[in-house]
PDB file of all heavy atoms in Angstrom:
ATOM      1  N   GLU D   1      11.520   8.517 -10.396  1.00  0.00           N
ATOM      2  CA  GLU D   1      10.817   7.264 -10.052  1.00  0.00           C
ATOM      3  C   GLU D   1       9.283   7.540 -10.054  1.00  0.00           C
ATOM      4  O   GLU D   1       8.852   8.545  -9.528  1.00  0.00           O
ATOM      5  CB  GLU D   1      11.305   6.773  -8.711  1.00  0.00           C
ATOM      6  CG  GLU D   1      12.835   6.522  -8.660  1.00  0.00           C
ATOM      7  CD  GLU D   1      13.303   6.043  -7.260  1.00  0.00           C
ATOM      8  OE1 GLU D   1      13.171   4.758  -7.093  1.00  0.00           O
ATOM      9  OE2 GLU D   1      13.717   6.795  -6.508  1.00  0.00           O
ATOM     10  N   LYS D   2       8.569   6.587 -10.633  1.00  0.00           N
ATOM     11  CA  LYS D   2       7.137   6.745 -10.646  1.00  0.00           C
ATOM     12  C   LYS D   2       6.621   6.690  -9.256  1.00  0.00           C
ATOM     13  O   LYS D   2       6.850   5.794  -8.488  1.00  0.00           O
ATOM     14  CB  LYS D   2       6.560   5.596 -11.499  1.00  0.00           C
ATOM     15  CG  LYS D   2       5.345   5.901 -12.314  1.00  0.00           C
ATOM     16  CD  LYS D   2       4.782   4.803 -13.096  1.00  0.00           C
ATOM     17  CE  LYS D   2       5.153   4.876 -14.552  1.00  0.00           C
ATOM     18  NZ  LYS D   2       4.659   3.916 -15.420  1.00  0.00           N
ATOM     19  N   LYS D   3       5.936   7.732  -8.905  1.00  0.00           N
ATOM     20  CA  LYS D   3       5.517   7.946  -7.483  1.00  0.00           C
ATOM     21  C   LYS D   3       4.663   6.728  -7.040  1.00  0.00           C
ATOM     22  O   LYS D   3       4.748   6.398  -5.875  1.00  0.00           O
ATOM     23  CB  LYS D   3       4.666   9.226  -7.374  1.00  0.00           C
ATOM     24  CG  LYS D   3       5.540  10.496  -7.325  1.00  0.00           C
ATOM     25  CD  LYS D   3       4.630  11.692  -7.185  1.00  0.00           C
ATOM     26  CE  LYS D   3       5.426  12.974  -7.331  1.00  0.00           C
ATOM     27  NZ  LYS D   3       4.549  14.141  -7.488  1.00  0.00           N
ATOM     28  N   ASP D   4       3.845   6.202  -7.890  1.00  0.00           N
ATOM     29  CA  ASP D   4       3.041   5.016  -7.514  1.00  0.00           C
ATOM     30  C   ASP D   4       3.818   4.004  -6.907  1.00  0.00           C
ATOM     31  O   ASP D   4       3.233   3.182  -6.053  1.00  0.00           O
ATOM     32  CB  ASP D   4       2.266   4.458  -8.745  1.00  0.00           C
ATOM     33  CG  ASP D   4       0.962   5.345  -9.053  1.00  0.00           C
ATOM     34  OD1 ASP D   4       0.750   6.190  -8.238  1.00  0.00           O
ATOM     35  OD2 ASP D   4       0.388   5.086 -10.105  1.00  0.00           O
ATOM     36  N   TYR D   5       5.031   3.749  -7.374  1.00  0.00           N
ATOM     37  CA  TYR D   5       5.764   2.641  -6.867  1.00  0.00           C
ATOM     38  C   TYR D   5       6.665   2.992  -5.670  1.00  0.00           C
ATOM     39  O   TYR D   5       7.230   2.036  -5.012  1.00  0.00           O
ATOM     40  CB  TYR D   5       6.717   2.101  -8.039  1.00  0.00           C
ATOM     41  CG  TYR D   5       5.893   1.387  -9.156  1.00  0.00           C
ATOM     42  CD1 TYR D   5       5.652   2.077 -10.226  1.00  0.00           C
ATOM     43  CD2 TYR D   5       5.393   0.122  -8.943  1.00  0.00           C
ATOM     44  CE1 TYR D   5       4.864   1.476 -11.238  1.00  0.00           C
ATOM     45  CE2 TYR D   5       4.659  -0.497  -9.942  1.00  0.00           C
ATOM     46  CZ  TYR D   5       4.348   0.177 -11.098  1.00  0.00           C
ATOM     47  OH  TYR D   5       3.602  -0.434 -12.046  1.00  0.00           O
ATOM     48  N   VAL D   6       6.911   4.247  -5.356  1.00  0.00           N
ATOM     49  CA  VAL D   6       7.746   4.572  -4.225  1.00  0.00           C
ATOM     50  C   VAL D   6       6.992   5.237  -3.117  1.00  0.00           C
ATOM     51  O   VAL D   6       7.587   5.423  -2.030  1.00  0.00           O
ATOM     52  CB  VAL D   6       8.945   5.529  -4.704  1.00  0.00           C
ATOM     53  CG1 VAL D   6       9.901   4.680  -5.535  1.00  0.00           C
ATOM     54  CG2 VAL D   6       8.475   6.696  -5.393  1.00  0.00           C
ATOM     55  N   ARG D   7       5.810   5.605  -3.315  1.00  0.00           N
ATOM     56  CA  ARG D   7       4.934   6.244  -2.425  1.00  0.00           C
ATOM     57  C   ARG D   7       4.409   5.299  -1.303  1.00  0.00           C
ATOM     58  O   ARG D   7       3.995   4.239  -1.730  1.00  0.00           O
ATOM     59  CB  ARG D   7       3.766   6.930  -3.117  1.00  0.00           C
ATOM     60  CG  ARG D   7       2.629   7.191  -2.312  1.00  0.00           C
ATOM     61  CD  ARG D   7       1.624   8.156  -3.051  1.00  0.00           C
ATOM     62  NE  ARG D   7       1.126   7.666  -4.314  1.00  0.00           N
ATOM     63  CZ  ARG D   7       0.745   8.445  -5.282  1.00  0.00           C
ATOM     64  NH1 ARG D   7       0.836   9.743  -5.208  1.00  0.00           N
ATOM     65  NH2 ARG D   7       0.223   7.933  -6.367  1.00  0.00           N
ATOM     66  N   ASN D   8       4.496   5.646  -0.079  1.00  0.00           N
ATOM     67  CA  ASN D   8       4.065   4.668   0.866  1.00  0.00           C
ATOM     68  C   ASN D   8       2.808   5.133   1.579  1.00  0.00           C
ATOM     69  O   ASN D   8       2.521   4.782   2.753  1.00  0.00           O
ATOM     70  CB  ASN D   8       5.122   4.377   1.903  1.00  0.00           C
ATOM     71  CG  ASN D   8       5.979   3.205   1.409  1.00  0.00           C
ATOM     72  OD1 ASN D   8       5.474   2.299   0.821  1.00  0.00           O
ATOM     73  ND2 ASN D   8       7.315   3.250   1.720  1.00  0.00           N
ATOM     74  N   CYS D   9       2.023   5.964   0.920  1.00  0.00           N
ATOM     75  CA  CYS D   9       0.731   6.413   1.564  1.00  0.00           C
ATOM     76  C   CYS D   9      -0.421   5.997   0.561  1.00  0.00           C
ATOM     77  O   CYS D   9      -0.207   5.799  -0.626  1.00  0.00           O
ATOM     78  CB  CYS D   9       0.696   7.892   1.838  1.00  0.00           C
ATOM     79  SG  CYS D   9       0.968   8.894   0.267  1.00  0.00           S
ATOM     80  N   ILE D  10      -1.548   5.821   1.151  1.00  0.00           N
ATOM     81  CA  ILE D  10      -2.709   5.426   0.379  1.00  0.00           C
ATOM     82  C   ILE D  10      -3.623   6.656   0.072  1.00  0.00           C
ATOM     83  O   ILE D  10      -3.836   7.436   0.895  1.00  0.00           O
ATOM     84  CB  ILE D  10      -3.478   4.317   1.158  1.00  0.00           C
ATOM     85  CG1 ILE D  10      -2.735   3.053   1.069  1.00  0.00           C
ATOM     86  CG2 ILE D  10      -4.893   4.181   0.552  1.00  0.00           C
ATOM     87  CD1 ILE D  10      -3.258   1.927   1.916  1.00  0.00           C
ATOM     88  N   ILE D  11      -3.978   6.765  -1.183  1.00  0.00           N
ATOM     89  CA  ILE D  11      -4.740   7.893  -1.644  1.00  0.00           C
ATOM     90  C   ILE D  11      -6.138   7.281  -1.969  1.00  0.00           C
ATOM     91  O   ILE D  11      -6.212   6.248  -2.739  1.00  0.00           O
ATOM     92  CB  ILE D  11      -4.087   8.501  -2.937  1.00  0.00           C
ATOM     93  CG1 ILE D  11      -2.641   8.866  -2.507  1.00  0.00           C
ATOM     94  CG2 ILE D  11      -4.945   9.651  -3.458  1.00  0.00           C
ATOM     95  CD1 ILE D  11      -2.096  10.078  -2.998  1.00  0.00           C
ATOM     96  N   GLY D  12      -7.157   7.951  -1.428  1.00  0.00           N
ATOM     97  CA  GLY D  12      -8.571   7.402  -1.754  1.00  0.00           C
ATOM     98  C   GLY D  12      -8.772   6.086  -1.133  1.00  0.00           C
ATOM     99  O   GLY D  12      -8.325   5.818   0.004  1.00  0.00           O
ATOM    100  N   LYS D  13      -9.257   5.196  -1.965  1.00  0.00           N
ATOM    101  CA  LYS D  13      -9.458   3.810  -1.498  1.00  0.00           C
ATOM    102  C   LYS D  13      -8.235   2.951  -1.517  1.00  0.00           C
ATOM    103  O   LYS D  13      -8.274   1.694  -1.116  1.00  0.00           O
ATOM    104  CB  LYS D  13     -10.659   3.143  -2.202  1.00  0.00           C
ATOM    105  CG  LYS D  13     -11.982   3.671  -2.024  1.00  0.00           C
ATOM    106  CD  LYS D  13     -12.988   2.723  -2.419  1.00  0.00           C
ATOM    107  CE  LYS D  13     -14.369   2.959  -1.761  1.00  0.00           C
ATOM    108  NZ  LYS D  13     -15.225   3.860  -2.458  1.00  0.00           N
ATOM    109  N   GLY D  14      -7.169   3.409  -2.192  1.00  0.00           N
ATOM    110  CA  GLY D  14      -5.959   2.617  -2.193  1.00  0.00           C
ATOM    111  C   GLY D  14      -5.871   1.641  -3.315  1.00  0.00           C
ATOM    112  O   GLY D  14      -4.998   0.789  -3.297  1.00  0.00           O
ATOM    113  N   ALA D  15      -6.784   1.786  -4.268  1.00  0.00           N
ATOM    114  CA  ALA D  15      -6.752   0.757  -5.324  1.00  0.00           C
ATOM    115  C   ALA D  15      -5.547   0.835  -6.168  1.00  0.00           C
ATOM    116  O   ALA D  15      -5.073  -0.168  -6.753  1.00  0.00           O
ATOM    117  CB  ALA D  15      -7.958   1.050  -6.270  1.00  0.00           C
ATOM    118  N   ASP D  16      -4.855   1.990  -6.198  1.00  0.00           N
ATOM    119  CA  ASP D  16      -3.660   2.120  -7.021  1.00  0.00           C
ATOM    120  C   ASP D  16      -2.379   2.013  -6.294  1.00  0.00           C
ATOM    121  O   ASP D  16      -1.250   2.198  -6.747  1.00  0.00           O
ATOM    122  CB  ASP D  16      -3.619   3.474  -7.750  1.00  0.00           C
ATOM    123  CG  ASP D  16      -4.681   3.710  -8.705  1.00  0.00           C
ATOM    124  OD1 ASP D  16      -5.116   2.705  -9.311  1.00  0.00           O
ATOM    125  OD2 ASP D  16      -5.132   4.871  -8.914  1.00  0.00           O
ATOM    126  N   TYR D  17      -2.453   1.662  -4.992  1.00  0.00           N
ATOM    127  CA  TYR D  17      -1.315   1.512  -4.151  1.00  0.00           C
ATOM    128  C   TYR D  17      -0.424   0.372  -4.584  1.00  0.00           C
ATOM    129  O   TYR D  17      -0.832  -0.726  -4.844  1.00  0.00           O
ATOM    130  CB  TYR D  17      -1.731   1.230  -2.727  1.00  0.00           C
ATOM    131  CG  TYR D  17      -0.553   1.198  -1.749  1.00  0.00           C
ATOM    132  CD1 TYR D  17       0.262   2.180  -1.378  1.00  0.00           C
ATOM    133  CD2 TYR D  17      -0.220  -0.107  -1.283  1.00  0.00           C
ATOM    134  CE1 TYR D  17       1.246   2.101  -0.598  1.00  0.00           C
ATOM    135  CE2 TYR D  17       0.820  -0.232  -0.383  1.00  0.00           C
ATOM    136  CZ  TYR D  17       1.568   0.887  -0.026  1.00  0.00           C
ATOM    137  OH  TYR D  17       2.693   0.662   0.718  1.00  0.00           O
ATOM    138  N   LYS D  18       0.920   0.750  -4.826  1.00  0.00           N
ATOM    139  CA  LYS D  18       1.799  -0.272  -5.287  1.00  0.00           C
ATOM    140  C   LYS D  18       3.054  -0.308  -4.348  1.00  0.00           C
ATOM    141  O   LYS D  18       4.127  -0.777  -4.678  1.00  0.00           O
ATOM    142  CB  LYS D  18       2.359   0.075  -6.673  1.00  0.00           C
ATOM    143  CG  LYS D  18       1.144  -0.048  -7.679  1.00  0.00           C
ATOM    144  CD  LYS D  18       1.701   0.150  -9.083  1.00  0.00           C
ATOM    145  CE  LYS D  18       0.626   0.021 -10.136  1.00  0.00           C
ATOM    146  NZ  LYS D  18      -0.326   1.187 -10.234  1.00  0.00           N
ATOM    147  N   GLY D  19       2.970   0.292  -3.151  1.00  0.00           N
ATOM    148  CA  GLY D  19       4.068   0.350  -2.216  1.00  0.00           C
ATOM    149  C   GLY D  19       4.312  -0.918  -1.573  1.00  0.00           C
ATOM    150  O   GLY D  19       3.807  -1.964  -1.903  1.00  0.00           O
ATOM    151  N   THR D  20       5.146  -0.914  -0.491  1.00  0.00           N
ATOM    152  CA  THR D  20       5.565  -2.187   0.067  1.00  0.00           C
ATOM    153  C   THR D  20       5.210  -2.232   1.670  1.00  0.00           C
ATOM    154  O   THR D  20       5.596  -3.166   2.310  1.00  0.00           O
ATOM    155  CB  THR D  20       7.174  -2.255  -0.011  1.00  0.00           C
ATOM    156  OG1 THR D  20       7.641  -1.104   0.592  1.00  0.00           O
ATOM    157  CG2 THR D  20       7.553  -2.312  -1.420  1.00  0.00           C
ATOM    158  N   ILE D  21       4.378  -1.305   2.082  1.00  0.00           N
ATOM    159  CA  ILE D  21       3.969  -1.376   3.488  1.00  0.00           C
ATOM    160  C   ILE D  21       2.978  -2.483   3.693  1.00  0.00           C
ATOM    161  O   ILE D  21       1.947  -2.619   2.941  1.00  0.00           O
ATOM    162  CB  ILE D  21       3.370  -0.065   3.860  1.00  0.00           C
ATOM    163  CG1 ILE D  21       4.472   1.049   3.860  1.00  0.00           C
ATOM    164  CG2 ILE D  21       2.853  -0.107   5.379  1.00  0.00           C
ATOM    165  CD1 ILE D  21       5.578   1.061   4.711  1.00  0.00           C
ATOM    166  N   SER D  22       3.189  -3.405   4.636  1.00  0.00           N
ATOM    167  CA  SER D  22       2.203  -4.513   4.937  1.00  0.00           C
ATOM    168  C   SER D  22       1.829  -4.519   6.294  1.00  0.00           C
ATOM    169  O   SER D  22       1.335  -5.592   6.830  1.00  0.00           O
ATOM    170  CB  SER D  22       2.934  -5.835   4.509  1.00  0.00           C
ATOM    171  OG  SER D  22       4.067  -5.996   5.352  1.00  0.00           O
ATOM    172  N   VAL D  23       1.986  -3.430   7.007  1.00  0.00           N
ATOM    173  CA  VAL D  23       1.438  -3.412   8.437  1.00  0.00           C
ATOM    174  C   VAL D  23       0.639  -2.050   8.567  1.00  0.00           C
ATOM    175  O   VAL D  23       0.949  -1.117   7.862  1.00  0.00           O
ATOM    176  CB  VAL D  23       2.560  -3.353   9.524  1.00  0.00           C
ATOM    177  CG1 VAL D  23       3.210  -4.774   9.610  1.00  0.00           C
ATOM    178  CG2 VAL D  23       3.595  -2.271   9.297  1.00  0.00           C
ATOM    179  N   THR D  24      -0.311  -2.116   9.492  1.00  0.00           N
ATOM    180  CA  THR D  24      -1.141  -0.931   9.741  1.00  0.00           C
ATOM    181  C   THR D  24      -0.275   0.037  10.495  1.00  0.00           C
ATOM    182  O   THR D  24       0.704  -0.251  11.016  1.00  0.00           O
ATOM    183  CB  THR D  24      -2.397  -1.319  10.549  1.00  0.00           C
ATOM    184  OG1 THR D  24      -2.025  -1.779  11.812  1.00  0.00           O
ATOM    185  CG2 THR D  24      -3.226  -2.297   9.812  1.00  0.00           C
ATOM    186  N   LYS D  25      -0.880   1.307  10.653  1.00  0.00           N
ATOM    187  CA  LYS D  25      -0.277   2.316  11.456  1.00  0.00           C
ATOM    188  C   LYS D  25       0.093   1.807  12.866  1.00  0.00           C
ATOM    189  O   LYS D  25       1.182   2.141  13.346  1.00  0.00           O
ATOM    190  CB  LYS D  25      -1.238   3.480  11.639  1.00  0.00           C
ATOM    191  CG  LYS D  25      -1.011   4.599  10.667  1.00  0.00           C
ATOM    192  CD  LYS D  25      -1.859   5.843  11.040  1.00  0.00           C
ATOM    193  CE  LYS D  25      -1.746   6.872   9.996  1.00  0.00           C
ATOM    194  NZ  LYS D  25      -2.824   7.709   9.885  1.00  0.00           N
ATOM    195  N   SER D  26      -0.722   0.927  13.515  1.00  0.00           N
ATOM    196  CA  SER D  26      -0.475   0.481  14.822  1.00  0.00           C
ATOM    197  C   SER D  26       0.424  -0.765  14.874  1.00  0.00           C
ATOM    198  O   SER D  26       0.618  -1.439  15.846  1.00  0.00           O
ATOM    199  CB  SER D  26      -1.748   0.207  15.572  1.00  0.00           C
ATOM    200  OG  SER D  26      -2.455  -0.738  14.852  1.00  0.00           O
ATOM    201  N   GLY D  27       0.867  -1.180  13.621  1.00  0.00           N
ATOM    202  CA  GLY D  27       1.800  -2.359  13.550  1.00  0.00           C
ATOM    203  C   GLY D  27       1.206  -3.715  13.379  1.00  0.00           C
ATOM    204  O   GLY D  27       1.774  -4.709  13.446  1.00  0.00           O
ATOM    205  N   ILE D  28      -0.192  -3.705  13.022  1.00  0.00           N
ATOM    206  CA  ILE D  28      -0.859  -5.056  12.748  1.00  0.00           C
ATOM    207  C   ILE D  28      -0.602  -5.513  11.489  1.00  0.00           C
ATOM    208  O   ILE D  28      -0.651  -4.647  10.458  1.00  0.00           O
ATOM    209  CB  ILE D  28      -2.320  -4.894  13.043  1.00  0.00           C
ATOM    210  CG1 ILE D  28      -2.631  -4.532  14.488  1.00  0.00           C
ATOM    211  CG2 ILE D  28      -3.026  -6.207  12.687  1.00  0.00           C
ATOM    212  CD1 ILE D  28      -3.964  -4.046  14.708  1.00  0.00           C
ATOM    213  N   GLN D  29      -0.156  -6.763  11.154  1.00  0.00           N
ATOM    214  CA  GLN D  29       0.121  -7.384   9.856  1.00  0.00           C
ATOM    215  C   GLN D  29      -1.193  -7.239   9.019  1.00  0.00           C
ATOM    216  O   GLN D  29      -2.263  -7.554   9.427  1.00  0.00           O
ATOM    217  CB  GLN D  29       0.509  -8.761  10.072  1.00  0.00           C
ATOM    218  CG  GLN D  29       0.947  -9.465   8.744  1.00  0.00           C
ATOM    219  CD  GLN D  29       2.211  -8.885   8.133  1.00  0.00           C
ATOM    220  OE1 GLN D  29       3.134  -8.470   8.755  1.00  0.00           O
ATOM    221  NE2 GLN D  29       2.241  -8.738   6.754  1.00  0.00           N
ATOM    222  N   CYS D  30      -0.999  -6.764   7.730  1.00  0.00           N
ATOM    223  CA  CYS D  30      -2.136  -6.718   6.821  1.00  0.00           C
ATOM    224  C   CYS D  30      -2.574  -8.048   6.399  1.00  0.00           C
ATOM    225  O   CYS D  30      -1.782  -9.010   6.250  1.00  0.00           O
ATOM    226  CB  CYS D  30      -1.815  -5.851   5.661  1.00  0.00           C
ATOM    227  SG  CYS D  30      -1.417  -4.115   6.033  1.00  0.00           S
ATOM    228  N   GLN D  31      -3.936  -8.077   6.058  1.00  0.00           N
ATOM    229  CA  GLN D  31      -4.420  -9.321   5.432  1.00  0.00           C
ATOM    230  C   GLN D  31      -4.035  -9.486   4.008  1.00  0.00           C
ATOM    231  O   GLN D  31      -4.036  -8.411   3.298  1.00  0.00           O
ATOM    232  CB  GLN D  31      -5.970  -9.244   5.543  1.00  0.00           C
ATOM    233  CG  GLN D  31      -6.707 -10.347   4.964  1.00  0.00           C
ATOM    234  CD  GLN D  31      -8.182 -10.179   5.112  1.00  0.00           C
ATOM    235  OE1 GLN D  31      -8.663  -9.601   6.084  1.00  0.00           O
ATOM    236  NE2 GLN D  31      -8.984 -10.609   4.113  1.00  0.00           N
ATOM    237  N   ALA D  32      -3.675 -10.630   3.591  1.00  0.00           N
ATOM    238  CA  ALA D  32      -3.248 -10.864   2.183  1.00  0.00           C
ATOM    239  C   ALA D  32      -4.382 -10.684   1.223  1.00  0.00           C
ATOM    240  O   ALA D  32      -5.626 -10.992   1.667  1.00  0.00           O
ATOM    241  CB  ALA D  32      -2.729 -12.285   2.030  1.00  0.00           C
ATOM    242  N   TRP D  33      -4.194 -10.183   0.046  1.00  0.00           N
ATOM    243  CA  TRP D  33      -5.297  -9.950  -0.926  1.00  0.00           C
ATOM    244  C   TRP D  33      -6.046 -11.259  -1.340  1.00  0.00           C
ATOM    245  O   TRP D  33      -7.220 -11.194  -1.539  1.00  0.00           O
ATOM    246  CB  TRP D  33      -4.767  -9.239  -2.179  1.00  0.00           C
ATOM    247  CG  TRP D  33      -4.518  -7.820  -1.972  1.00  0.00           C
ATOM    248  CD1 TRP D  33      -3.205  -7.223  -1.906  1.00  0.00           C
ATOM    249  CD2 TRP D  33      -5.443  -6.807  -1.728  1.00  0.00           C
ATOM    250  NE1 TRP D  33      -3.410  -5.878  -1.680  1.00  0.00           N
ATOM    251  CE2 TRP D  33      -4.698  -5.543  -1.623  1.00  0.00           C
ATOM    252  CE3 TRP D  33      -6.743  -6.723  -1.721  1.00  0.00           C
ATOM    253  CZ2 TRP D  33      -5.371  -4.300  -1.432  1.00  0.00           C
ATOM    254  CZ3 TRP D  33      -7.480  -5.456  -1.489  1.00  0.00           C
ATOM    255  CH2 TRP D  33      -6.726  -4.322  -1.326  1.00  0.00           C
ATOM    256  N   ASN D  34      -5.295 -12.321  -1.330  1.00  0.00           N
ATOM    257  CA  ASN D  34      -5.917 -13.579  -1.731  1.00  0.00           C
ATOM    258  C   ASN D  34      -6.668 -14.302  -0.568  1.00  0.00           C
ATOM    259  O   ASN D  34      -7.155 -15.431  -0.677  1.00  0.00           O
ATOM    260  CB  ASN D  34      -4.900 -14.489  -2.365  1.00  0.00           C
ATOM    261  CG  ASN D  34      -3.730 -14.830  -1.402  1.00  0.00           C
ATOM    262  OD1 ASN D  34      -3.767 -14.469  -0.203  1.00  0.00           O
ATOM    263  ND2 ASN D  34      -2.817 -15.549  -1.893  1.00  0.00           N
ATOM    264  N   SER D  35      -6.766 -13.607   0.610  1.00  0.00           N
ATOM    265  CA  SER D  35      -7.419 -14.163   1.749  1.00  0.00           C
ATOM    266  C   SER D  35      -8.759 -13.511   1.989  1.00  0.00           C
ATOM    267  O   SER D  35      -8.835 -12.294   1.868  1.00  0.00           O
ATOM    268  CB  SER D  35      -6.513 -14.102   2.950  1.00  0.00           C
ATOM    269  OG  SER D  35      -7.260 -14.462   4.148  1.00  0.00           O
TER     270      SER D  35
END
């Protein structure tokens, strides 16, 4: 499996992140990209 799609960590600025995590470490819901 392509690591970019199954990896749940952010590398660098996270521009290539394709994972499914949508909350911060402390559990806060992430802001939508279109907002």
